Amino acid sequence: MRLLLCCAMSAGLFLSACSATQPVRPDKAGSIAPTQNVVVIRGLEGEGDVQRAPPAVVRRLEVEERNNRYLSRLQAVEPPDLHVRVVDVGQGLCVVGLTAEGYTFLVDAGHWIGNACADGVDRLLPDMGLSMVVLTHSDGDHLGNLPLILESREVGTLLWTGYTPPHCTQVGASGCTTFFNAREAIGEVAADQSSVLNLKTTPLASGQVFELGEVEITFLAGWHEFPDVGQMSPSEISNAVSIMVRISHGGRSILVTGDAIGRPLRGSDDETCTGSEGWAVENVEADLLSADVLIASHHGGNNGSAKCFITAVAPEFVIFSAGGGHGHPHRETVARFLAAGIPEAHLLRTDRGSNSASDAEEGEWAETSVPACGDKSKDDDIDILFGSDGGITTSYVEPNRCE
């Protein structure tokens, strides 16, 4: 059965079966969307069901021209089948993707201070809409630039937890401006007839697949409310609901985990395997949890990247999306990856110039930090390139910046 998801009426999500034809709508600048840019959602409402989201409205550039422009510094032999960039947003997360077929996606929207994520989206996806947006959870350093990014782009499908932080239950509550602005932007996406999937009203099963042409984004875990808080602190409870997705193409994959928790700071040791990471180890199919590249939980904080989770994922490369002032990535976190046999050269970070005293006091891993080169946002972007030969390359956009 094939249904077209074309009637998302609110951020809470109302869906109905509409025409099986693919709609074509103008984008914000008046150009027409390519009709092939639909997100095929496998098995959303029952075994074997296939539903299609409205096409992202994308003003498509020549893919080869775009790759030549943005990848020339990497001396790529040929344009990649999938280009994923972890944008340096300081303390936060922003992952942008573009496929050879012209599909586009965003996982999280960076920190509220500055426009690093929005600028990163503009650099990789100039004048392009977003086929899919995934918001892992409701922290401000994952939602910060969302309104700015979405104000000039159409969206095909948006997935979020629907979680409201406890301190943001009252409109106008202090410290909640970023969350309220992001929630309003999500509502505007829904009102614009895009498909908004809210885990509060539409819980998804682990293994749910979103097809962007030949690229799959697989939902592994995520909650509106985490089922077993255990020893977690209030902030850890807010993080534990994080959506985990696996981005895969040609037998290669990236795992994005948001701020997943695996070993709460209270009462944990190296054998602790709990929280959302523990749930994933116990409940997600082993072949889906494994990945070539892992974007480490919670920026490399010591309450994520539990030993059991690292073993289950067995990554070849690990990326820490971190910023100064928080002690990330934590040296004990990194020690667990090194103990799992991942070489130091395969541990990349978006804060190579981190040099604050507070980071040292909080236990930041300092071995690959180069304090003399500074740590502004946007200077340590990391590219993950999937080649047509089945290979995968992970490297800094400016590898020699600190030399």
Side-chain angles (χ1 to χ4, degrees), residues 10 18-19 38 73 80 109 120 157 224 256 280 326 329 343 349 375 395 402:
S10 71
C18 304
S19 168
V38 295
R73 74 182 68 187
T157 299
H224 170 62
V256 187
H326 297 271
R349 59 196 296 173
D375 185 34
S395 64
C402 293

Side-chain angles (χ1 to χ4, degrees), residues 346-357:
H346 287 197
L347 304 178
L348 286 74
R349 59 196 296 173
T350 61
D351 65 338
R352 282 186 291 173
S354 179
N355 61 354
S356 71

Side-chain angles (χ1 to χ4, degrees), residues 20-360:
T21 60
Q22 297 175 14
V24 178
R25 294 186 292 150
D27 67 8
K28 297 295 186 182
S31 61
I32 300 299
T35 58
Q36 68 269 33
N37 271 15
V38 295
V39 180
V40 179
I41 309 175
R42 295 212 301 256
L44 182 62
E45 291 188 343
E47 197 68 32
D49 286 351
V50 177
Q51 305 199 17
R52 293 191 175 189
V57 179
V58 176
R59 187 186 307 148
R60 191 173 180 181
L61 301 177
E62 279 294 327
V63 174
E64 184 174 355
E65 176 188 347
R66 184 272 308 162
N67 276 304
N68 286 340
R69 182 161 69 244
Y70 290 98
L71 302 181
S72 60
R73 74 182 68 187
L74 299 178
Q75 299 180 336
V77 175
E78 61 181 12
D81 283 354
L82 173 60
H83 182 181
V84 177
R85 176 168 293 173
V86 180
V87 179
D88 175 10
V89 295
Q91 182 71 13
L93 183 63
C94 173
V95 180
V96 187
L98 174 62
T99 79
E101 301 168 284
Y103 291 87
T104 60
F105 59 86
L106 172 70
V107 182
D108 285 346
H111 204 282
W112 68 89
I113 297 177
N115 298 332
C117 185
D119 291 344
V121 174
D122 286 340
R123 286 195 299 273
L124 194 62
L125 311 177
D127 299 318
M128 302 178 79
L130 289 163
S131 306
M132 187 167 186
V133 175
V134 178
L135 303 172
T136 62
H137 65 301
S138 297
D139 277 7
D141 57 342
H142 294 250
L143 299 176
N145 284 178
L146 188 68
L148 181 60
I149 293 168
L150 298 187
E151 70 179 6
S152 59
R153 288 177 170 82
E154 297 277 357
V155 174
T157 299
L158 185 148
L159 171 64
W160 74 305
T161 65
Y163 177 82
T164 298
H167 64 289
C168 297
T169 55
Q170 299 295 321
V171 175
S174 176
C176 297
T177 301
T178 299
F179 171 73
F180 291 139
N181 289 344
R183 189 171 63 181
E184 181 178 355
I186 294 169
E188 291 173 356
V189 167
D192 197 32
Q193 303 280 308
S194 298
S195 297
V196 175
L197 302 178
N198 177 340
L199 296 184
K200 180 178 181 179
T201 53
T202 310
L204 300 181
S206 180
Q208 173 71 59
V209 176
F210 299 82
E211 293 181 355
L212 281 68
E214 295 183 356
V215 173
E216 294 185 344
I217 297 181
T218 304
F219 173 87
L220 303 183
W223 299 265
H224 170 62
E225 293 182 357
F226 193 73
D228 182 12
V229 299
Q231 297 294 315
M232 289 187 283
S233 68
S235 63
E236 288 174 331
I237 293 171
S238 296
N239 288 333
V241 302
S242 289
I243 292 172
M244 300 185 195
V245 292
R246 184 177 191 259
I247 303 163
S248 58
H249 171 75
R252 298 286 193 162
S253 60
I254 304 168
L255 185 61
V256 187
T257 60
D259 281 357
I261 300 296
R263 47 185 317 283
L265 294 180
R266 293 185 298 194
S268 292
D269 57 33
D270 275 349
E271 300 305 316
T272 300
C273 183
T274 187
S276 38
E277 290 184 343
W279 186 96
V281 170
E282 292 293 325
N283 295 280
V284 176
E285 293 183 16
D287 60 340
L288 291 180
L289 196 55
S290 66
D292 297 283
V293 180
L294 171 64
I295 299 177
S297 302
H298 200 200
H299 320 289
N302 200 26
N303 55 4
S305 303
K307 178 181 176 181
C308 62
F309 191 72
I310 295 171
T311 300
V313 178
E316 180 180 353
F317 289 89
V318 178
I319 296 173
F320 302 106
S321 180
H326 297 271
H328 295 157
H330 196 278
R331 57 176 172 261
E332 292 184 21
T333 303
V334 173
R336 291 192 289 275
F337 284 110
L338 295 174
I342 301 167
E344 183 177 292
H346 287 197
L347 304 178
L348 286 74
R349 59 196 296 173
T350 61
D351 65 338
R352 282 186 291 173
S354 179
N355 61 354
S356 71
S358 63
D359 278 323

Side-chain angles (χ1 to χ4, degrees), residues 73-74 352 378-381 396-402:
R73 74 182 68 187
L74 299 178
R352 282 186 291 173
K378 301 190 285 190
D379 58 8
D380 283 323
D381 292 353
Y396 292 105
V397 172
E398 297 184 15
N400 303 318
R401 181 179 74 82
C402 293

